[in-house]
Amino acid sequence: MDKPIIADKKPIKVELDADKTYHWCSCGKSKNQPFCDGSHAGTDFKPVEFSPDKTGSAHLCQCKHSKKPPFCDGSHNDL
């Protein structure tokens, strides 16, 4: 698997806590989108670890083509 699976062609709005660390799914195989569940095992993909700057809502990428992962940058519009 050299290209990620597109989980969805739109971002997902999530509530994030600034005191937590998250792992965003970069492969698209996770059943817990947009977060990693370990489904990347056996691939070259790794989850993207991040801690938000502030508590609140954010739009995370689900197309897996964002140039600013884990955040949506509108790349899904080009797919």
Side-chain angles (χ1 to χ4, degrees):
M1 185 170 122
D2 59 344
K3 293 185 179 182
I5 294 169
I6 297 171
D8 203 340
K9 288 188 177 179
K10 64 182 182 296
I12 185 168
K13 184 177 179 180
V14 295
E15 294 299 319
L16 301 174
D17 186 336
D19 295 328
K20 292 180 85 174
T21 299
Y22 298 90
H23 294 88
W24 174 78
C25 169
S26 66
C27 72
K29 294 174 71 174
S30 175
K31 302 281 189 269
N32 189 33
Q33 290 294 330
F35 302 106
C36 178
D37 69 0
S39 294
H40 63 276
T43 73
D44 291 332
F45 290 93
K46 304 284 184 244
V48 174
E49 183 177 286
F50 73 101
S51 296
D53 295 333
K54 60 183 180 177
T55 296
S57 60
H59 289 87
L60 300 186
C61 174
Q62 293 195 98
C63 77
K64 312 305 174 186
H65 288 79
S66 175
K67 310 249 184 324
K68 298 179 180 181
F71 303 101
C72 175
D73 70 355
S75 291
H76 59 273
N77 293 317
D78 297 329
L79 299 176

